[in-house]
PDB file of all heavy atoms in Angstrom:
ATOM      1  N   ASP U   1      83.152 -24.779 -86.224  1.00  0.00           N
ATOM      2  CA  ASP U   1      84.263 -23.773 -86.132  1.00  0.00           C
ATOM      3  C   ASP U   1      83.777 -22.344 -86.299  1.00  0.00           C
ATOM      4  O   ASP U   1      84.518 -21.485 -86.773  1.00  0.00           O
ATOM      5  CB  ASP U   1      85.325 -24.110 -87.176  1.00  0.00           C
ATOM      6  CG  ASP U   1      86.685 -23.534 -86.787  1.00  0.00           C
ATOM      7  OD1 ASP U   1      87.043 -23.535 -85.602  1.00  0.00           O
ATOM      8  OD2 ASP U   1      87.418 -23.101 -87.730  1.00  0.00           O
ATOM      9  N   GLU U   2      82.516 -22.066 -85.919  1.00  0.00           N
ATOM     10  CA  GLU U   2      81.948 -20.716 -86.021  1.00  0.00           C
ATOM     11  C   GLU U   2      82.335 -19.887 -84.820  1.00  0.00           C
ATOM     12  O   GLU U   2      82.306 -20.365 -83.674  1.00  0.00           O
ATOM     13  CB  GLU U   2      80.427 -20.852 -86.090  1.00  0.00           C
ATOM     14  CG  GLU U   2      79.719 -19.521 -86.243  1.00  0.00           C
ATOM     15  CD  GLU U   2      78.197 -19.713 -86.307  1.00  0.00           C
ATOM     16  OE1 GLU U   2      77.748 -20.735 -86.860  1.00  0.00           O
ATOM     17  OE2 GLU U   2      77.477 -18.877 -85.706  1.00  0.00           O
ATOM     18  N   ILE U   3      82.755 -18.610 -85.027  1.00  0.00           N
ATOM     19  CA  ILE U   3      83.106 -17.706 -83.937  1.00  0.00           C
ATOM     20  C   ILE U   3      81.773 -17.330 -83.220  1.00  0.00           C
ATOM     21  O   ILE U   3      80.829 -16.916 -83.884  1.00  0.00           O
ATOM     22  CB  ILE U   3      83.797 -16.450 -84.457  1.00  0.00           C
ATOM     23  CG1 ILE U   3      85.092 -16.836 -85.205  1.00  0.00           C
ATOM     24  CG2 ILE U   3      84.099 -15.507 -83.351  1.00  0.00           C
ATOM     25  CD1 ILE U   3      85.708 -15.733 -86.004  1.00  0.00           C
ATOM     26  N   VAL U   4      81.770 -17.493 -81.891  1.00  0.00           N
ATOM     27  CA  VAL U   4      80.535 -17.259 -81.131  1.00  0.00           C
ATOM     28  C   VAL U   4      80.793 -16.499 -79.862  1.00  0.00           C
ATOM     29  O   VAL U   4      81.902 -16.469 -79.330  1.00  0.00           O
ATOM     30  CB  VAL U   4      79.835 -18.604 -80.803  1.00  0.00           C
ATOM     31  CG1 VAL U   4      79.294 -19.266 -82.067  1.00  0.00           C
ATOM     32  CG2 VAL U   4      80.784 -19.549 -80.044  1.00  0.00           C
ATOM     33  N   GLY U   5      79.724 -15.929 -79.313  1.00  0.00           N
ATOM     34  CA  GLY U   5      79.775 -15.279 -78.013  1.00  0.00           C
ATOM     35  C   GLY U   5      80.369 -13.897 -78.060  1.00  0.00           C
ATOM     36  O   GLY U   5      80.722 -13.350 -79.129  1.00  0.00           O
ATOM     37  N   THR U   6      80.474 -13.295 -76.881  1.00  0.00           N
ATOM     38  CA  THR U   6      80.982 -11.937 -76.734  1.00  0.00           C
ATOM     39  C   THR U   6      81.931 -11.870 -75.532  1.00  0.00           C
ATOM     40  O   THR U   6      81.596 -12.461 -74.473  1.00  0.00           O
ATOM     41  CB  THR U   6      79.801 -10.951 -76.470  1.00  0.00           C
ATOM     42  OG1 THR U   6      78.880 -11.116 -77.542  1.00  0.00           O
ATOM     43  CG2 THR U   6      80.281  -9.546 -76.403  1.00  0.00           C
ATOM     44  N   PHE U   7      83.022 -11.191 -75.682  1.00  0.00           N
ATOM     45  CA  PHE U   7      83.878 -10.966 -74.514  1.00  0.00           C
ATOM     46  C   PHE U   7      83.373  -9.774 -73.732  1.00  0.00           C
ATOM     47  O   PHE U   7      83.184  -8.684 -74.331  1.00  0.00           O
ATOM     48  CB  PHE U   7      85.352 -10.804 -74.943  1.00  0.00           C
ATOM     49  CG  PHE U   7      85.923 -12.113 -75.380  1.00  0.00           C
ATOM     50  CD1 PHE U   7      85.864 -12.529 -76.705  1.00  0.00           C
ATOM     51  CD2 PHE U   7      86.534 -12.975 -74.459  1.00  0.00           C
ATOM     52  CE1 PHE U   7      86.367 -13.749 -77.124  1.00  0.00           C
ATOM     53  CE2 PHE U   7      87.055 -14.184 -74.842  1.00  0.00           C
ATOM     54  CZ  PHE U   7      86.979 -14.577 -76.175  1.00  0.00           C
ATOM     55  N   VAL U   8      83.109  -9.956 -72.446  1.00  0.00           N
ATOM     56  CA  VAL U   8      82.521  -8.875 -71.632  1.00  0.00           C
ATOM     57  C   VAL U   8      83.518  -8.296 -70.655  1.00  0.00           C
ATOM     58  O   VAL U   8      83.245  -7.302 -70.028  1.00  0.00           O
ATOM     59  CB  VAL U   8      81.241  -9.361 -70.921  1.00  0.00           C
ATOM     60  CG1 VAL U   8      80.142  -9.670 -71.927  1.00  0.00           C
ATOM     61  CG2 VAL U   8      81.517 -10.575 -70.030  1.00  0.00           C
ATOM     62  N   PHE U   9      84.667  -8.952 -70.487  1.00  0.00           N
ATOM     63  CA  PHE U   9      85.739  -8.398 -69.687  1.00  0.00           C
ATOM     64  C   PHE U   9      87.039  -8.695 -70.410  1.00  0.00           C
ATOM     65  O   PHE U   9      87.321  -9.815 -70.770  1.00  0.00           O
ATOM     66  CB  PHE U   9      85.804  -8.977 -68.290  1.00  0.00           C
ATOM     67  CG  PHE U   9      87.022  -8.534 -67.513  1.00  0.00           C
ATOM     68  CD1 PHE U   9      87.044  -7.254 -66.892  1.00  0.00           C
ATOM     69  CD2 PHE U   9      88.186  -9.299 -67.491  1.00  0.00           C
ATOM     70  CE1 PHE U   9      88.186  -6.841 -66.225  1.00  0.00           C
ATOM     71  CE2 PHE U   9      89.331  -8.864 -66.813  1.00  0.00           C
ATOM     72  CZ  PHE U   9      89.328  -7.626 -66.178  1.00  0.00           C
ATOM     73  N   ILE U  10      87.868  -7.624 -70.595  1.00  0.00           N
ATOM     74  CA  ILE U  10      89.178  -7.785 -71.224  1.00  0.00           C
ATOM     75  C   ILE U  10      90.199  -7.010 -70.405  1.00  0.00           C
ATOM     76  O   ILE U  10      89.893  -6.016 -69.764  1.00  0.00           O
ATOM     77  CB  ILE U  10      89.193  -7.328 -72.677  1.00  0.00           C
ATOM     78  CG1 ILE U  10      88.827  -5.845 -72.808  1.00  0.00           C
ATOM     79  CG2 ILE U  10      88.249  -8.190 -73.532  1.00  0.00           C
ATOM     80  CD1 ILE U  10      88.973  -5.288 -74.208  1.00  0.00           C
ATOM     81  N   PRO U  11      91.461  -7.485 -70.340  1.00  0.00           N
ATOM     82  CA  PRO U  11      92.489  -6.827 -69.565  1.00  0.00           C
ATOM     83  C   PRO U  11      93.056  -5.607 -70.252  1.00  0.00           C
ATOM     84  O   PRO U  11      92.870  -5.399 -71.457  1.00  0.00           O
ATOM     85  CB  PRO U  11      93.553  -7.919 -69.406  1.00  0.00           C
ATOM     86  CG  PRO U  11      93.421  -8.732 -70.636  1.00  0.00           C
ATOM     87  CD  PRO U  11      91.948  -8.736 -70.982  1.00  0.00           C
ATOM     88  N   PRO U  12      93.750  -4.752 -69.492  1.00  0.00           N
ATOM     89  CA  PRO U  12      94.466  -3.617 -70.104  1.00  0.00           C
ATOM     90  C   PRO U  12      95.417  -4.108 -71.181  1.00  0.00           C
ATOM     91  O   PRO U  12      95.933  -5.245 -71.091  1.00  0.00           O
ATOM     92  CB  PRO U  12      95.243  -3.001 -68.932  1.00  0.00           C
ATOM     93  CG  PRO U  12      94.533  -3.495 -67.750  1.00  0.00           C
ATOM     94  CD  PRO U  12      93.966  -4.813 -68.051  1.00  0.00           C
ATOM     95  N   GLY U  13      95.659  -3.327 -72.201  1.00  0.00           N
ATOM     96  CA  GLY U  13      96.535  -3.720 -73.287  1.00  0.00           C
ATOM     97  C   GLY U  13      95.820  -4.589 -74.351  1.00  0.00           C
ATOM     98  O   GLY U  13      96.477  -5.149 -75.212  1.00  0.00           O
ATOM     99  N   SER U  14      94.493  -4.666 -74.233  1.00  0.00           N
ATOM    100  CA  SER U  14      93.745  -5.409 -75.219  1.00  0.00           C
ATOM    101  C   SER U  14      92.505  -4.629 -75.645  1.00  0.00           C
ATOM    102  O   SER U  14      92.137  -3.623 -74.987  1.00  0.00           O
ATOM    103  CB  SER U  14      93.331  -6.777 -74.637  1.00  0.00           C
ATOM    104  OG  SER U  14      92.483  -6.637 -73.530  1.00  0.00           O
ATOM    105  N   LYS U  15      91.871  -5.032 -76.737  1.00  0.00           N
ATOM    106  CA  LYS U  15      90.691  -4.383 -77.235  1.00  0.00           C
ATOM    107  C   LYS U  15      89.800  -5.409 -77.945  1.00  0.00           C
ATOM    108  O   LYS U  15      90.251  -6.425 -78.390  1.00  0.00           O
ATOM    109  CB  LYS U  15      91.044  -3.207 -78.176  1.00  0.00           C
ATOM    110  CG  LYS U  15      91.690  -3.676 -79.465  1.00  0.00           C
ATOM    111  CD  LYS U  15      92.025  -2.463 -80.350  1.00  0.00           C
ATOM    112  CE  LYS U  15      92.623  -2.931 -81.685  1.00  0.00           C
ATOM    113  NZ  LYS U  15      92.959  -1.814 -82.531  1.00  0.00           N
ATOM    114  N   LEU U  16      88.512  -5.054 -78.015  1.00  0.00           N
ATOM    115  CA  LEU U  16      87.559  -5.907 -78.732  1.00  0.00           C
ATOM    116  C   LEU U  16      87.706  -5.716 -80.221  1.00  0.00           C
ATOM    117  O   LEU U  16      87.965  -4.586 -80.685  1.00  0.00           O
ATOM    118  CB  LEU U  16      86.152  -5.602 -78.286  1.00  0.00           C
ATOM    119  CG  LEU U  16      85.812  -5.940 -76.820  1.00  0.00           C
ATOM    120  CD1 LEU U  16      84.454  -5.405 -76.461  1.00  0.00           C
ATOM    121  CD2 LEU U  16      85.918  -7.443 -76.582  1.00  0.00           C
ATOM    122  N   LEU U  17      87.443  -6.762 -80.943  1.00  0.00           N
ATOM    123  CA  LEU U  17      87.454  -6.720 -82.408  1.00  0.00           C
ATOM    124  C   LEU U  17      86.150  -7.375 -82.844  1.00  0.00           C
ATOM    125  O   LEU U  17      85.739  -8.372 -82.253  1.00  0.00           O
ATOM    126  CB  LEU U  17      88.667  -7.552 -82.919  1.00  0.00           C
ATOM    127  CG  LEU U  17      89.052  -7.459 -84.394  1.00  0.00           C
ATOM    128  CD1 LEU U  17      89.417  -6.036 -84.784  1.00  0.00           C
ATOM    129  CD2 LEU U  17      90.215  -8.401 -84.684  1.00  0.00           C
ATOM    130  N   ASN U  18      85.501  -6.801 -83.843  1.00  0.00           N
ATOM    131  CA  ASN U  18      84.214  -7.298 -84.288  1.00  0.00           C
ATOM    132  C   ASN U  18      84.409  -8.079 -85.577  1.00  0.00           C
ATOM    133  O   ASN U  18      84.334  -7.491 -86.670  1.00  0.00           O
ATOM    134  CB  ASN U  18      83.226  -6.149 -84.493  1.00  0.00           C
ATOM    135  CG  ASN U  18      83.049  -5.331 -83.259  1.00  0.00           C
ATOM    136  OD1 ASN U  18      83.171  -5.829 -82.131  1.00  0.00           O
ATOM    137  ND2 ASN U  18      82.796  -4.036 -83.417  1.00  0.00           N
ATOM    138  N   CYS U  19      84.721  -9.365 -85.475  1.00  0.00           N
ATOM    139  CA  CYS U  19      84.913 -10.187 -86.688  1.00  0.00           C
ATOM    140  C   CYS U  19      83.575 -10.443 -87.391  1.00  0.00           C
ATOM    141  O   CYS U  19      83.458 -10.204 -88.567  1.00  0.00           O
ATOM    142  CB  CYS U  19      85.618 -11.477 -86.337  1.00  0.00           C
ATOM    143  SG  CYS U  19      87.360 -11.253 -85.992  1.00  0.00           S
ATOM    144  N   PHE U  20      82.597 -10.990 -86.666  1.00  0.00           N
ATOM    145  CA  PHE U  20      81.287 -11.265 -87.247  1.00  0.00           C
ATOM    146  C   PHE U  20      80.175 -10.603 -86.424  1.00  0.00           C
ATOM    147  O   PHE U  20      79.172 -10.250 -86.964  1.00  0.00           O
ATOM    148  CB  PHE U  20      81.064 -12.770 -87.364  1.00  0.00           C
ATOM    149  CG  PHE U  20      82.004 -13.397 -88.325  1.00  0.00           C
ATOM    150  CD1 PHE U  20      83.107 -14.124 -87.903  1.00  0.00           C
ATOM    151  CD2 PHE U  20      81.843 -13.238 -89.696  1.00  0.00           C
ATOM    152  CE1 PHE U  20      84.017 -14.645 -88.802  1.00  0.00           C
ATOM    153  CE2 PHE U  20      82.757 -13.761 -90.613  1.00  0.00           C
ATOM    154  CZ  PHE U  20      83.834 -14.478 -90.168  1.00  0.00           C
ATOM    155  N   GLU U  21      80.362 -10.494 -85.134  1.00  0.00           N
ATOM    156  CA  GLU U  21      79.445  -9.799 -84.253  1.00  0.00           C
ATOM    157  C   GLU U  21      80.243  -8.928 -83.266  1.00  0.00           C
ATOM    158  O   GLU U  21      81.412  -9.159 -83.036  1.00  0.00           O
ATOM    159  CB  GLU U  21      78.608 -10.822 -83.484  1.00  0.00           C
ATOM    160  CG  GLU U  21      77.663 -11.643 -84.394  1.00  0.00           C
ATOM    161  CD  GLU U  21      76.753 -12.569 -83.589  1.00  0.00           C
ATOM    162  OE1 GLU U  21      76.536 -12.303 -82.380  1.00  0.00           O
ATOM    163  OE2 GLU U  21      76.251 -13.507 -84.175  1.00  0.00           O
ATOM    164  N   ASP U  22      79.574  -7.989 -82.657  1.00  0.00           N
ATOM    165  CA  ASP U  22      80.239  -7.080 -81.740  1.00  0.00           C
ATOM    166  C   ASP U  22      80.968  -7.828 -80.634  1.00  0.00           C
ATOM    167  O   ASP U  22      80.313  -8.643 -79.929  1.00  0.00           O
ATOM    168  CB  ASP U  22      79.257  -6.106 -81.103  1.00  0.00           C
ATOM    169  CG  ASP U  22      78.762  -5.030 -82.126  1.00  0.00           C
ATOM    170  OD1 ASP U  22      79.335  -4.953 -83.214  1.00  0.00           O
ATOM    171  OD2 ASP U  22      77.810  -4.325 -81.802  1.00  0.00           O
ATOM    172  N   GLY U  23      82.229  -7.566 -80.469  1.00  0.00           N
ATOM    173  CA  GLY U  23      83.004  -8.132 -79.331  1.00  0.00           C
ATOM    174  C   GLY U  23      83.207  -9.630 -79.335  1.00  0.00           C
ATOM    175  O   GLY U  23      83.497 -10.198 -78.311  1.00  0.00           O
ATOM    176  N   ASP U  24      83.165 -10.263 -80.513  1.00  0.00           N
ATOM    177  CA  ASP U  24      83.355 -11.705 -80.532  1.00  0.00           C
ATOM    178  C   ASP U  24      84.820 -12.147 -80.513  1.00  0.00           C
ATOM    179  O   ASP U  24      85.152 -13.322 -80.381  1.00  0.00           O
ATOM    180  CB  ASP U  24      82.638 -12.360 -81.742  1.00  0.00           C
ATOM    181  CG  ASP U  24      83.152 -11.862 -83.087  1.00  0.00           C
ATOM    182  OD1 ASP U  24      84.145 -11.117 -83.191  1.00  0.00           O
ATOM    183  OD2 ASP U  24      82.502 -12.238 -84.087  1.00  0.00           O
ATOM    184  N   THR U  25      85.738 -11.168 -80.619  1.00  0.00           N
ATOM    185  CA  THR U  25      87.169 -11.467 -80.686  1.00  0.00           C
ATOM    186  C   THR U  25      87.914 -10.417 -79.852  1.00  0.00           C
ATOM    187  O   THR U  25      87.461  -9.293 -79.758  1.00  0.00           O
ATOM    188  CB  THR U  25      87.646 -11.404 -82.143  1.00  0.00           C
ATOM    189  OG1 THR U  25      86.911 -12.364 -82.926  1.00  0.00           O
ATOM    190  CG2 THR U  25      89.120 -11.686 -82.289  1.00  0.00           C
ATOM    191  N   VAL U  26      89.045 -10.798 -79.264  1.00  0.00           N
ATOM    192  CA  VAL U  26      89.903  -9.877 -78.524  1.00  0.00           C
ATOM    193  C   VAL U  26      91.279  -9.902 -79.136  1.00  0.00           C
ATOM    194  O   VAL U  26      91.788 -10.973 -79.501  1.00  0.00           O
ATOM    195  CB  VAL U  26      89.986 -10.248 -77.035  1.00  0.00           C
ATOM    196  CG1 VAL U  26      90.797  -9.165 -76.262  1.00  0.00           C
ATOM    197  CG2 VAL U  26      88.616 -10.398 -76.396  1.00  0.00           C
ATOM    198  N   THR U  27      91.914  -8.767 -79.239  1.00  0.00           N
ATOM    199  CA  THR U  27      93.304  -8.619 -79.717  1.00  0.00           C
ATOM    200  C   THR U  27      94.064  -7.659 -78.829  1.00  0.00           C
ATOM    201  O   THR U  27      93.464  -7.017 -77.972  1.00  0.00           O
ATOM    202  CB  THR U  27      93.344  -8.213 -81.178  1.00  0.00           C
ATOM    203  OG1 THR U  27      94.688  -8.296 -81.692  1.00  0.00           O
ATOM    204  CG2 THR U  27      92.838  -6.794 -81.396  1.00  0.00           C
ATOM    205  N   HIS U  28      95.360  -7.602 -79.038  1.00  0.00           N
ATOM    206  CA  HIS U  28      96.171  -6.653 -78.260  1.00  0.00           C
ATOM    207  C   HIS U  28      95.938  -5.247 -78.763  1.00  0.00           C
ATOM    208  O   HIS U  28      95.568  -5.035 -79.922  1.00  0.00           O
ATOM    209  CB  HIS U  28      97.688  -7.030 -78.373  1.00  0.00           C
ATOM    210  CG  HIS U  28      98.177  -7.022 -79.787  1.00  0.00           C
ATOM    211  ND1 HIS U  28      97.883  -8.074 -80.697  1.00  0.00           N
ATOM    212  CD2 HIS U  28      98.950  -6.175 -80.485  1.00  0.00           C
ATOM    213  CE1 HIS U  28      98.434  -7.812 -81.853  1.00  0.00           C
ATOM    214  NE2 HIS U  28      99.079  -6.681 -81.748  1.00  0.00           N
ATOM    215  N   SER U  29      96.148  -4.237 -77.910  1.00  0.00           N
ATOM    216  CA  SER U  29      95.990  -2.850 -78.317  1.00  0.00           C
ATOM    217  C   SER U  29      97.300  -2.083 -78.249  1.00  0.00           C
ATOM    218  O   SER U  29      97.342  -0.930 -78.613  1.00  0.00           O
ATOM    219  CB  SER U  29      94.947  -2.157 -77.422  1.00  0.00           C
ATOM    220  OG  SER U  29      95.386  -2.138 -76.089  1.00  0.00           O
ATOM    221  N   ASP U  30      98.361  -2.723 -77.797  1.00  0.00           N
ATOM    222  CA  ASP U  30      99.682  -2.118 -77.799  1.00  0.00           C
ATOM    223  C   ASP U  30     100.762  -3.203 -77.838  1.00  0.00           C
ATOM    224  O   ASP U  30     100.467  -4.393 -77.825  1.00  0.00           O
ATOM    225  CB  ASP U  30      99.850  -1.244 -76.559  1.00  0.00           C
ATOM    226  CG  ASP U  30      99.703  -2.007 -75.243  1.00  0.00           C
ATOM    227  OD1 ASP U  30     100.164  -3.172 -75.159  1.00  0.00           O
ATOM    228  OD2 ASP U  30      99.157  -1.469 -74.271  1.00  0.00           O
ATOM    229  N   LYS U  31     102.014  -2.777 -77.910  1.00  0.00           N
ATOM    230  CA  LYS U  31     103.127  -3.729 -78.036  1.00  0.00           C
ATOM    231  C   LYS U  31     103.731  -4.111 -76.653  1.00  0.00           C
ATOM    232  O   LYS U  31     104.761  -4.735 -76.600  1.00  0.00           O
ATOM    233  CB  LYS U  31     104.256  -3.142 -78.873  1.00  0.00           C
ATOM    234  CG  LYS U  31     103.884  -2.971 -80.332  1.00  0.00           C
ATOM    235  CD  LYS U  31     105.089  -2.599 -81.180  1.00  0.00           C
ATOM    236  CE  LYS U  31     105.749  -1.311 -80.724  1.00  0.00           C
ATOM    237  NZ  LYS U  31     106.802  -0.845 -81.604  1.00  0.00           N
ATOM    238  N   SER U  32     103.070  -3.732 -75.586  1.00  0.00           N
ATOM    239  CA  SER U  32     103.609  -4.067 -74.249  1.00  0.00           C
ATOM    240  C   SER U  32     103.743  -5.591 -74.129  1.00  0.00           C
ATOM    241  O   SER U  32     102.978  -6.352 -74.672  1.00  0.00           O
ATOM    242  CB  SER U  32     102.727  -3.534 -73.123  1.00  0.00           C
ATOM    243  OG  SER U  32     101.473  -4.164 -73.139  1.00  0.00           O
ATOM    244  N   LEU U  33     104.749  -6.030 -73.385  1.00  0.00           N
ATOM    245  CA  LEU U  33     104.994  -7.437 -73.195  1.00  0.00           C
ATOM    246  C   LEU U  33     103.903  -8.023 -72.262  1.00  0.00           C
ATOM    247  O   LEU U  33     103.558  -7.405 -71.225  1.00  0.00           O
ATOM    248  CB  LEU U  33     106.382  -7.720 -72.653  1.00  0.00           C
ATOM    249  CG  LEU U  33     107.493  -7.269 -73.583  1.00  0.00           C
ATOM    250  CD1 LEU U  33     108.862  -7.506 -72.935  1.00  0.00           C
ATOM    251  CD2 LEU U  33     107.399  -7.976 -74.932  1.00  0.00           C
ATOM    252  N   LYS U  34     103.390  -9.177 -72.638  1.00  0.00           N
ATOM    253  CA  LYS U  34     102.309  -9.787 -71.901  1.00  0.00           C
ATOM    254  C   LYS U  34     102.737 -11.177 -71.478  1.00  0.00           C
ATOM    255  O   LYS U  34     103.541 -11.815 -72.126  1.00  0.00           O
ATOM    256  CB  LYS U  34     101.064  -9.850 -72.784  1.00  0.00           C
ATOM    257  CG  LYS U  34     100.554  -8.506 -73.212  1.00  0.00           C
ATOM    258  CD  LYS U  34      99.781  -8.596 -74.495  1.00  0.00           C
ATOM    259  CE  LYS U  34      99.389  -7.218 -75.030  1.00  0.00           C
ATOM    260  NZ  LYS U  34     100.473  -6.375 -75.434  1.00  0.00           N
ATOM    261  N   ARG U  35     102.113 -11.707 -70.414  1.00  0.00           N
ATOM    262  CA  ARG U  35     102.400 -13.056 -69.926  1.00  0.00           C
ATOM    263  C   ARG U  35     101.152 -13.771 -69.466  1.00  0.00           C
ATOM    264  O   ARG U  35     100.890 -14.869 -69.876  1.00  0.00           O
ATOM    265  CB  ARG U  35     103.446 -13.008 -68.805  1.00  0.00           C
ATOM    266  CG  ARG U  35     104.475 -14.069 -68.976  1.00  0.00           C
ATOM    267  CD  ARG U  35     105.544 -13.915 -67.910  1.00  0.00           C
ATOM    268  NE  ARG U  35     106.821 -13.680 -68.584  1.00  0.00           N
ATOM    269  CZ  ARG U  35     107.867 -14.395 -68.367  1.00  0.00           C
ATOM    270  NH1 ARG U  35     107.880 -15.347 -67.470  1.00  0.00           N
ATOM    271  NH2 ARG U  35     108.983 -14.154 -69.009  1.00  0.00           N
ATOM    272  N   ASN U  36     100.399 -13.153 -68.553  1.00  0.00           N
ATOM    273  CA  ASN U  36      99.207 -13.769 -67.975  1.00  0.00           C
ATOM    274  C   ASN U  36      98.045 -12.811 -68.163  1.00  0.00           C
ATOM    275  O   ASN U  36      98.096 -11.690 -67.679  1.00  0.00           O
ATOM    276  CB  ASN U  36      99.422 -14.078 -66.493  1.00  0.00           C
ATOM    277  CG  ASN U  36     100.582 -15.029 -66.317  1.00  0.00           C
ATOM    278  OD1 ASN U  36     100.649 -16.089 -66.904  1.00  0.00           O
ATOM    279  ND2 ASN U  36     101.522 -14.675 -65.442  1.00  0.00           N
ATOM    280  N   LEU U  37      97.019 -13.274 -68.817  1.00  0.00           N
ATOM    281  CA  LEU U  37      95.847 -12.445 -69.123  1.00  0.00           C
ATOM    282  C   LEU U  37      94.549 -13.135 -68.729  1.00  0.00           C
ATOM    283  O   LEU U  37      94.458 -14.336 -68.844  1.00  0.00           O
ATOM    284  CB  LEU U  37      95.790 -12.146 -70.626  1.00  0.00           C
ATOM    285  CG  LEU U  37      97.030 -11.490 -71.240  1.00  0.00           C
ATOM    286  CD1 LEU U  37      96.874 -11.454 -72.762  1.00  0.00           C
ATOM    287  CD2 LEU U  37      97.182 -10.075 -70.711  1.00  0.00           C
TER     288      LEU U  37
END
């Protein structure tokens, strides 16, 4: 259950989060409504 890898492409309305390593997690960057990402 270790967080691994890096996200190298993310959609608008999102941003990278560095939980344990750079870019290993993605989260939203605004409150816009989302459906398909």
